[in-house]
Amino acid sequence: MHKIKDYRIIYIIMCLLIPTAASYLNPIISLYLSEVLHFTSQKIALTFIVTPVILVLVVFLCGKISDKGFSRRRIILISAIFGVITNFIFMSEPSELTLFLALVPCYALSQVAFSQIFASAREYSVQYMTSSLGFTTFLRSLASVAWVAGPPISYFLITNVSYDALFILCASVYSTAGITAITMLPEMKDIAKANSRSVEGIKIFNQNIITLFVSTVLMYTAFSSYLNTMPLYLIYELNLDKDVPGYMFSLSAFLEIPIMMLCIRFAKKAGLKKVIASGVICQLVYLTVLPHINTTVQILISSILPAMFIGTVSTMGMVLFQELLPKLPGQATSLFLNGCTSGIIIGGAVIGLSETGHYKVIYYLGSILTLIALALLYKVRKPEEIR
């Protein structure tokens, strides 16, 4: 029992460290590209297209080889190292060539750790705990805890200190995560070997999985195009204070935590699909009303709607993939994250629509895509049991 308790603590630490690093860096990338590298909207869109393309390939490859027995904690270590490298390249204010040839691949590789942590946690919880759903949801809520403090800290640093100070802080978090992973995470060798023997012949892509994947892509296309343009929209189009995006991201992350905890109870009673659908509906409402609100108070109050989307979909969506592919936790988690990432790719292209003169057209398009995603989600066959 002592070992199990120790491992739980390590998963908790890892699910705070990796999301914390992401919460420092991800919210300011579009602003960094605009203010420091002086990218146009089209170049920013291109960056958000190229990066996820590489990420999709890397995450899927890592998920496949890890399910066949390759050490997950080594993958997490390598990913963390690339996270450190990414921040140092950011500090150098790279040229366009360096950005696309070096920075983008390193950034994509730094994002692999997240899926591997949850795949490892899935294996651990199924083997040693009574509720995999409860443990996964708890760990996902910790990621939201990291996002409560992260964006305000990042915006404070870039506003009052410098971008370099933020990059140094982010690199130190990645370093700590890498060291923790390689020295303290359980290897789960027995489970990995058992899985590698039992997964032969399993068909990953069936109609159910493909429908869920496409639905995920569409809903995250809408979400990512909103998320990446929000700082620019609030600051440049609505002329709000530069700190407002950080407060908004932080408030949404704070609200996600109790939402995720409630999801455990509702998912077991009502089913995963209904819980996920409720979050998708919230995003549909949010993107529909967003172009019609323009004050700081209205923006902050409306933050509960994207919080509902993330609080339900980011956890329950991942669990739904895992329940549909119970013997392939790495590839199931990777499929969910690749669906999200594929949405980011398309969302990056959608950002280019801001060249029409305003960002509102992006949010109207997002509401249409979200509605289609909701219809596809309805067609997904729910798993018989939630573990």
Side-chain angles (χ1 to χ4, degrees):
M1 180 63 68
H2 179 68
K3 280 189 176 182
I4 295 175
K5 185 177 292 186
D6 282 350
Y7 288 154
R8 288 173 182 169
I9 293 172
I10 300 307
Y11 281 116
I12 288 171
I13 292 172
M14 290 301 299
C15 286
L16 285 170
L17 287 174
I18 293 297
T20 293
S23 74
Y24 289 151
L25 189 58
N26 293 358
I28 58 89
I29 289 178
S30 61
L31 206 58
Y32 171 83
L33 295 176
S34 176
E35 290 188 344
V36 179
L37 301 186
H38 308 293
F39 274 26
T40 63
S41 295
Q42 291 179 335
K43 289 182 179 179
I44 293 174
L46 180 62
T47 304
F48 282 111
I49 292 172
V50 174
T51 303
V53 168
I54 299 175
L55 181 57
V56 164
L57 298 174
V58 172
V59 168
F60 184 76
L61 176 62
C62 289
K64 191 169 184 178
I65 65 175
S66 63
D67 280 341
K68 291 186 176 181
F70 191 83
S71 171
R72 296 194 194 279
R73 65 182 185 180
R74 290 183 183 179
I75 295 175
I76 295 169
L77 171 64
I78 295 170
S79 176
I81 291 173
F82 277 106
V84 175
I85 296 172
T86 295
N87 281 277
F88 281 110
I89 298 176
F90 269 122
M91 289 176 63
S92 70
E93 297 184 14
S95 64
E96 289 184 25
L97 184 63
T98 303
L99 184 141
F100 286 108
L101 293 182
L103 177 58
V104 168
C106 288
Y107 173 80
L109 287 163
S110 73
Q111 304 301 298
V112 172
F114 190 77
S115 63
Q116 289 298 313
I117 290 170
F118 278 93
S120 177
R122 169 74 177 187
E123 290 177 333
Y124 176 76
S125 59
V126 168
Q127 181 75 8
Y128 296 110
M129 303 177 67
T130 57
S131 176
S132 173
L133 175 63
F135 189 56
T136 301
T137 305
F138 172 69
L139 292 180
R140 185 59 186 82
S141 70
L142 294 179
S144 293
V145 170
W147 275 81
V148 171
I153 290 174
S154 63
Y155 277 94
F156 173 82
L157 288 176
I158 66 175
T159 302
N160 298 286
V161 186
S162 67
Y163 277 96
D164 285 353
L166 172 63
F167 297 142
I168 291 172
L169 175 62
C170 189
S172 67
V173 176
Y174 271 120
S175 298
T176 305
I179 294 171
T180 303
I182 198 63
T183 59
M184 297 183 181
L185 271 181
E187 191 64 87
M188 309 297 289
K189 288 183 178 179
D190 294 338
I191 295 178
K193 289 179 180 178
N195 281 345
S196 66
R197 291 191 297 267
S198 63
V199 298
E200 298 296 333
I202 294 180
K203 293 183 179 180
I204 300 177
F205 297 105
N206 52 53
Q207 184 176 353
N208 214 34
I209 292 295
I210 292 173
T211 303
L212 180 58
F213 183 83
V214 174
S215 176
T216 303
V217 170
L218 292 177
M219 65 178 75
Y220 270 90
T221 296
F223 180 74
S224 65
S225 60
Y226 137 73
L227 189 68
N228 291 322
T229 58
M230 181 54 65
L232 305 176
Y233 173 65
L234 297 183
I235 295 170
Y236 297 145
E237 188 162 330
L238 297 186
N239 297 314
L240 299 181
D241 190 83
K242 195 173 182 179
D243 291 329
V244 173
Y247 292 135
M248 181 186 174
F249 291 140
S250 177
L251 180 59
S252 290
F254 176 78
L255 294 171
E256 289 165 19
I257 300 169
I259 292 171
M260 288 180 182
M261 294 296 101
L262 289 173
C263 279
I264 301 174
R265 178 176 297 179
F266 287 116
K268 289 185 176 181
K269 290 183 177 180
L272 287 171
K273 276 182 56 178
K274 289 183 179 179
V275 172
I276 296 170
S278 67
V280 178
I281 291 171
C282 286
Q283 172 163 285
L284 176 61
V285 173
Y286 179 66
L287 292 175
T288 302
V289 303
L290 181 59
H292 305 288
I293 56 179
N294 52 28
T295 68
T296 300
V297 174
Q298 291 173 334
I299 292 292
L300 293 177
I301 291 175
S302 68
S303 295
I304 190 172
L305 293 173
M308 281 290 295
F309 173 77
I310 289 296
T312 56
V313 177
S314 66
T315 301
M316 297 300 116
M318 181 170 62
V319 172
L320 182 54
F321 272 100
Q322 292 174 340
E323 290 294 324
L324 293 175
L325 293 170
K327 292 184 178 295
L328 299 169
Q331 291 176 74
T333 307
S334 296
L335 277 170
F336 170 70
L337 293 178
N338 278 346
C340 303
T341 305
S342 298
I344 295 172
I345 296 172
I346 304 171
V350 172
I351 294 174
L353 293 176
S354 62
E355 292 291 335
T356 60
H358 56 74
Y359 294 93
K360 293 180 180 180
V361 64
I362 294 174
Y363 308 140
Y364 286 129
L365 176 60
S367 64
I368 295 173
L369 296 178
T370 303
L371 182 61
I372 298 172
L374 185 62
L376 289 173
L377 179 63
Y378 177 77
K379 293 180 174 294
V380 176
R381 175 185 55 80
K382 64 181 179 180
E384 296 179 359
E385 180 184 4
I386 302 176
R387 288 168 292 174

